Amino acid sequence: MPARRLVVEASRLRNQRELTAAVRDAGGEIVLDTEAAELACVGRHAGRVRGAPWALPEGAGPLGPDHFRADAKTDVIGQIARLAVSSCVTAVLSPAHHLGDPAFHDWFSVDRDVCIALRRALDREGGQGIAIDYPLIVPNAMLNDQNHRGLLVAALAALPIDYVWLRVVGLGADAGPLQLSRYLSAVAGLHNLGKPVIADHLGGLAGQAALAFGGVSGIAQGIGERERFDTGDWHKPAKPRPDDAKFGRAVRLSIPGLNRTLTRSELDVLASAKNGRRICGCADRACCKGYDSMVADPRGHAARQFFSSIAKLEAVPDLRRETYFLSHDGPMAKADRTAREIKALRPDAAEAARHNIDLEALMKRLADHSRTTEKIRTTLETIHETRGSDVPRARVAALRSGGAPKSAKGQP
């Protein structure tokens, strides 16, 4: 895995010591996600995130504003600083919260004070070389509002932070043309900070487009997951889980270039059509050996395709990336062609019935996706043709090497 940066959630850090050590010793960055936003929400605090060291005991409820005060008895800020130093991380995502939280409307004021207090705590614990990044978690409407965005930028400029990590509620790999256009316009307003902007939880063509058009300095996502950010279940009590409920999610596979994932059953139905295996299968010999190889290792396929797409984009000079992205051999044109080819497939009805797939509904979704992809291409071409070459572009996110000293085994 050619990753140079790794975001590790506090609740999982103890289970990922070997991975973090390997990335760190290879000269990569380790960024600690404190999961403060999730721990402060009634719908998320009792889930997996309660494994974070500063989570309240089970049944005590979510963390509230008072728990993040510098003098709080829970010492959340102190715990975060000590874990960051002992784990030799490069940077910490400052504890920040969803600014659209209906239960508390002044998180931004609290979070700014926390960021300053965290800097002091890190310095006090010997983590002077550990950077602080700020996760800006905002509703779409707030980011798109020029006045509100200006207030956020002015406040962030006064904080001791390196990067801004942007999580936009309701935005992800499935972003439509209007969403993507507004996003590119809004993130340009953050460039006045003079700091790199990382698009967090933004995958697919939307993430690549934001990079190619200079809107963001980098993108952060999981391997085949964390490609969209939603808070739909954050502020509602979690529903009790039935005893017989299955854990995990259905495995989804990405068709190379399509910018959409499908279940294994849906993919098998498409593969039953004439030329279906060729169109849906991975032809990249550095990744897979065709359709069967791809479906046998969906996560490996997703990882290799993701890293390959980013490597190709990085190889293009910054000011030429828009042209490359929209060119005949670029990601956008390939996605458009692939979507057209797939919507024209005629899968076998018997195969669909065998997999219990509504064939008509599946092909309608793919036809809709094709139309959306075409509109995204047209929108981005218009943006490219109408804006000048002197448009502000995101700052470069240089690879950082801060943190505590480490041995050959990655130990402090």
CSV table of all heavy atoms in Angstrom, one decimal, residues 265-289:
chain,number,residue,atom,x,y,z
A,265,SER,N,-23.9,-9.3,-6.4
A,265,SER,CA,-25.0,-9.9,-7.2
A,265,SER,C,-25.4,-9.0,-8.4
A,265,SER,O,-25.6,-9.5,-9.5
A,265,SER,CB,-26.3,-10.0,-6.3
A,265,SER,OG,-26.1,-11.0,-5.3
A,266,GLU,N,-25.4,-7.7,-8.2
A,266,GLU,CA,-25.7,-6.7,-9.3
A,266,GLU,C,-24.6,-6.8,-10.4
A,266,GLU,O,-24.9,-6.8,-11.6
A,266,GLU,CB,-25.8,-5.3,-8.8
A,266,GLU,CG,-27.0,-5.1,-7.9
A,266,GLU,CD,-27.0,-3.7,-7.2
A,266,GLU,OE1,-25.9,-3.2,-7.1
A,266,GLU,OE2,-28.1,-3.2,-6.9
A,267,LEU,N,-23.4,-6.9,-10.0
A,267,LEU,CA,-22.3,-7.0,-10.9
A,267,LEU,C,-22.3,-8.3,-11.7
A,267,LEU,O,-22.1,-8.3,-12.9
A,267,LEU,CB,-21.0,-6.9,-10.1
A,267,LEU,CG,-19.7,-6.5,-10.9
A,267,LEU,CD1,-20.0,-5.1,-11.6
A,267,LEU,CD2,-18.5,-6.4,-10.0
A,268,ASP,N,-22.7,-9.4,-11.0
A,268,ASP,CA,-22.8,-10.7,-11.8
A,268,ASP,C,-23.9,-10.7,-12.8
A,268,ASP,O,-23.8,-11.3,-13.9
A,268,ASP,CB,-23.1,-11.8,-10.8
A,268,ASP,CG,-21.8,-12.3,-10.0
A,268,ASP,OD1,-20.7,-11.9,-10.5
A,268,ASP,OD2,-21.9,-12.9,-9.0
A,269,VAL,N,-25.0,-9.9,-12.5
A,269,VAL,CA,-26.1,-9.8,-13.4
A,269,VAL,C,-25.6,-9.0,-14.7
A,269,VAL,O,-25.9,-9.4,-15.8
A,269,VAL,CB,-27.3,-9.1,-12.8
A,269,VAL,CG1,-28.4,-8.7,-13.8
A,269,VAL,CG2,-27.9,-10.0,-11.7
A,270,LEU,N,-24.9,-7.9,-14.4
A,270,LEU,CA,-24.4,-7.1,-15.6
A,270,LEU,C,-23.4,-8.0,-16.4
A,270,LEU,O,-23.4,-7.9,-17.6
A,270,LEU,CB,-23.7,-5.9,-15.1
A,270,LEU,CG,-24.6,-4.8,-14.4
A,270,LEU,CD1,-23.8,-3.6,-13.9
A,270,LEU,CD2,-25.7,-4.3,-15.4
A,271,ALA,N,-22.6,-8.8,-15.7
A,271,ALA,CA,-21.6,-9.6,-16.4
A,271,ALA,C,-22.2,-10.7,-17.3
A,271,ALA,O,-21.6,-11.2,-18.2
A,271,ALA,CB,-20.7,-10.2,-15.4
A,272,SER,N,-23.5,-11.0,-17.1
A,272,SER,CA,-24.2,-12.0,-17.9
A,272,SER,C,-24.6,-11.5,-19.3
A,272,SER,O,-24.9,-12.2,-20.2
A,272,SER,CB,-25.5,-12.5,-17.2
A,272,SER,OG,-26.5,-11.4,-17.2
A,273,ALA,N,-24.5,-10.1,-19.5
A,273,ALA,CA,-24.8,-9.6,-20.8
A,273,ALA,C,-23.6,-9.8,-21.7
A,273,ALA,O,-22.5,-10.0,-21.3
A,273,ALA,CB,-25.1,-8.1,-20.6
A,274,LYS,N,-23.9,-9.6,-23.0
A,274,LYS,CA,-22.9,-9.7,-24.0
A,274,LYS,C,-21.9,-8.6,-23.8
A,274,LYS,O,-22.3,-7.4,-23.6
A,274,LYS,CB,-23.5,-9.6,-25.4
A,274,LYS,CG,-22.5,-9.7,-26.6
A,274,LYS,CD,-23.2,-9.5,-27.9
A,274,LYS,CE,-22.1,-9.6,-29.0
A,274,LYS,NZ,-22.8,-9.4,-30.4
A,275,ASN,N,-20.6,-8.9,-23.7
A,275,ASN,CA,-19.5,-8.0,-23.4
A,275,ASN,C,-19.6,-7.5,-22.0
A,275,ASN,O,-18.8,-6.6,-21.6
A,275,ASN,CB,-19.5,-6.8,-24.4
A,275,ASN,CG,-19.2,-7.2,-25.8
A,275,ASN,OD1,-18.4,-8.1,-26.1
A,275,ASN,ND2,-19.9,-6.5,-26.8
A,276,GLY,N,-20.4,-8.0,-21.2
A,276,GLY,CA,-20.6,-7.6,-19.8
A,276,GLY,C,-19.3,-7.8,-19.0
A,276,GLY,O,-18.9,-6.8,-18.2
A,277,ARG,N,-18.7,-8.9,-19.1
A,277,ARG,CA,-17.5,-9.2,-18.3
A,277,ARG,C,-16.3,-8.3,-18.7
A,277,ARG,O,-15.6,-7.8,-17.9
A,277,ARG,CB,-17.1,-10.7,-18.4
A,277,ARG,CG,-18.0,-11.6,-17.8
A,277,ARG,CD,-17.7,-13.1,-18.1
A,277,ARG,NE,-16.4,-13.4,-17.5
A,277,ARG,CZ,-16.3,-14.0,-16.2
A,277,ARG,NH1,-17.4,-14.1,-15.5
A,277,ARG,NH2,-15.1,-14.3,-15.8
A,278,ARG,N,-16.3,-8.0,-20.0
A,278,ARG,CA,-15.2,-7.1,-20.5
A,278,ARG,C,-15.4,-5.7,-20.0
A,278,ARG,O,-14.5,-5.0,-19.5
A,278,ARG,CB,-15.1,-7.1,-22.0
A,278,ARG,CG,-14.1,-6.1,-22.6
A,278,ARG,CD,-14.2,-6.1,-24.1
A,278,ARG,NE,-15.5,-5.6,-24.6
A,278,ARG,CZ,-15.9,-4.4,-24.6
A,278,ARG,NH1,-15.1,-3.4,-24.2
A,278,ARG,NH2,-17.1,-4.0,-25.1
A,279,ILE,N,-16.6,-5.2,-20.1
A,279,ILE,CA,-16.9,-3.8,-19.7
A,279,ILE,C,-16.8,-3.6,-18.2
A,279,ILE,O,-16.3,-2.6,-17.7
A,279,ILE,CB,-18.3,-3.4,-20.2
A,279,ILE,CG1,-18.3,-3.4,-21.8
A,279,ILE,CG2,-18.7,-2.0,-19.7
A,279,ILE,CD1,-19.7,-3.1,-22.4
A,280,CYS,N,-17.3,-4.6,-17.4
A,280,CYS,CA,-17.4,-4.5,-16.0
A,280,CYS,C,-16.1,-4.9,-15.3
A,280,CYS,O,-15.8,-4.5,-14.1
A,280,CYS,CB,-18.5,-5.3,-15.4
A,280,CYS,SG,-20.2,-4.7,-16.0
A,281,GLY,N,-15.3,-5.7,-16.0
A,281,GLY,CA,-14.1,-6.3,-15.3
A,281,GLY,C,-12.9,-5.3,-15.4
A,281,GLY,O,-12.9,-4.3,-16.2
A,282,CYS,N,-11.9,-5.5,-14.6
A,282,CYS,CA,-10.7,-4.7,-14.5
A,282,CYS,C,-9.7,-5.2,-15.5
A,282,CYS,O,-9.3,-6.3,-15.5
A,282,CYS,CB,-10.1,-4.7,-13.1
A,282,CYS,SG,-8.7,-3.7,-12.9
A,283,ALA,N,-9.4,-4.3,-16.5
A,283,ALA,CA,-8.4,-4.6,-17.5
A,283,ALA,C,-7.0,-4.2,-17.2
A,283,ALA,O,-6.1,-4.3,-18.0
A,283,ALA,CB,-8.9,-4.0,-18.8
A,284,ASP,N,-6.9,-3.6,-16.0
A,284,ASP,CA,-5.5,-3.1,-15.6
A,284,ASP,C,-4.7,-4.3,-15.1
A,284,ASP,O,-5.0,-4.7,-14.0
A,284,ASP,CB,-5.7,-2.0,-14.5
A,284,ASP,CG,-4.4,-1.4,-14.0
A,284,ASP,OD1,-3.3,-1.9,-14.5
A,284,ASP,OD2,-4.4,-0.5,-13.2
A,285,ARG,N,-3.8,-4.7,-15.8
A,285,ARG,CA,-3.0,-5.9,-15.4
A,285,ARG,C,-2.1,-5.7,-14.2
A,285,ARG,O,-1.7,-6.6,-13.5
A,285,ARG,CB,-2.1,-6.4,-16.6
A,285,ARG,CG,-3.0,-6.9,-17.8
A,285,ARG,CD,-3.8,-8.1,-17.3
A,285,ARG,NE,-4.7,-8.5,-18.4
A,285,ARG,CZ,-5.6,-9.6,-18.3
A,285,ARG,NH1,-5.7,-10.2,-17.1
A,285,ARG,NH2,-6.4,-9.9,-19.2
A,286,ALA,N,-1.9,-4.4,-13.9
A,286,ALA,CA,-1.1,-4.1,-12.7
A,286,ALA,C,-2.1,-4.2,-11.4
A,286,ALA,O,-1.6,-4.2,-10.3
A,286,ALA,CB,-0.5,-2.8,-12.7
A,287,CYS,N,-3.3,-4.4,-11.7
A,287,CYS,CA,-4.3,-4.5,-10.6
A,287,CYS,C,-5.0,-5.8,-10.5
A,287,CYS,O,-4.9,-6.5,-9.5
A,287,CYS,CB,-5.4,-3.4,-10.8
A,287,CYS,SG,-6.7,-3.4,-9.6
A,288,CYS,N,-5.6,-6.3,-11.6
A,288,CYS,CA,-6.4,-7.5,-11.6
A,288,CYS,C,-6.1,-8.3,-12.9
A,288,CYS,O,-5.4,-7.8,-13.8
A,288,CYS,CB,-7.9,-7.3,-11.5
A,288,CYS,SG,-8.4,-6.4,-10.0
A,289,LYS,N,-6.6,-9.5,-13.0
A,289,LYS,CA,-6.4,-10.3,-14.2
A,289,LYS,C,-7.8,-10.6,-14.8
A,289,LYS,O,-8.1,-11.7,-15.3
A,289,LYS,CB,-5.8,-11.6,-13.9
A,289,LYS,CG,-4.3,-11.5,-13.3
A,289,LYS,CD,-3.7,-12.8,-12.9
A,289,LYS,CE,-2.3,-12.6,-12.4
A,289,LYS,NZ,-1.7,-13.9,-12.0
